[in-house]
Amino acid sequence: MARLWAKIDCLFFEETGDLTMAQQVAFLRLILHCKRHRNDGHFGAAALKVERISKAALSGLIEHKDGYVEHNGDGGYVIPNYTKWQGTSEELSAKRAEAGKRGAEKRWGSE
């Protein structure tokens, strides 16, 4: 299985210093969850349970002045600007398809 990578700023903890450690970890877990499930930053209640995100941590992310998480209107949540930094699932699929073609050409030659 190919690995997925998420883009996280090296100064993440400094830039989010006004969040609690629980909120910082929750936000990181949500970014990674969204990347793994290729859902463009959208997630529901099931993700909160799987990622062990507390209601307090989620509320802090929603209520924060920078709005790390928002309600998406469908009963779930979204990480604003997720696709700006992580790309869309469509872009990821296109990159992987192109990489697969290059790999096949390298191995088998092009026709």
Side-chain angles (χ1 to χ4, degrees):
M1 179 177 188
R3 292 198 180 266
L4 286 174
W5 304 93
K7 297 175 186 172
I8 306 295
D9 190 323
C10 292
L11 297 175
F12 173 82
F13 290 103
E14 287 83 359
E15 292 175 352
T16 59
D18 55 343
L19 294 176
T20 66
M21 183 62 73
Q23 291 167 339
Q24 289 173 326
V25 171
F27 189 57
L28 285 174
R29 289 184 68 97
L30 290 170
I31 290 170
L32 296 173
H33 176 88
C34 291
K35 189 70 169 190
R36 187 170 55 251
H37 293 280
R38 300 180 189 160
N39 57 21
D40 295 338
H42 292 266
F43 59 94
L48 300 173
K49 186 173 184 176
V50 168
E51 299 299 336
R52 299 186 310 258
I53 308 295
S54 71
K55 290 180 183 179
L58 178 65
S59 293
L61 293 171
I62 292 171
E63 295 167 4
H64 192 274
K65 64 180 172 53
D66 292 331
Y68 289 98
V69 173
E70 297 176 354
H71 293 279
N72 69 4
D74 292 331
Y77 307 92
V78 63
I79 299 171
N81 296 323
Y82 173 88
T83 57
K84 177 181 177 183
W85 303 108
Q86 304 300 331
T88 65
S89 58
E90 188 175 284
E91 291 168 342
L92 178 61
S93 293
K95 285 180 183 179
R96 286 186 159 203
E98 183 59 33
K101 288 178 188 175
R102 285 193 314 268
E105 286 175 3
K106 186 176 180 180
R107 182 171 184 176
W108 305 107
S110 61
E111 291 183 23

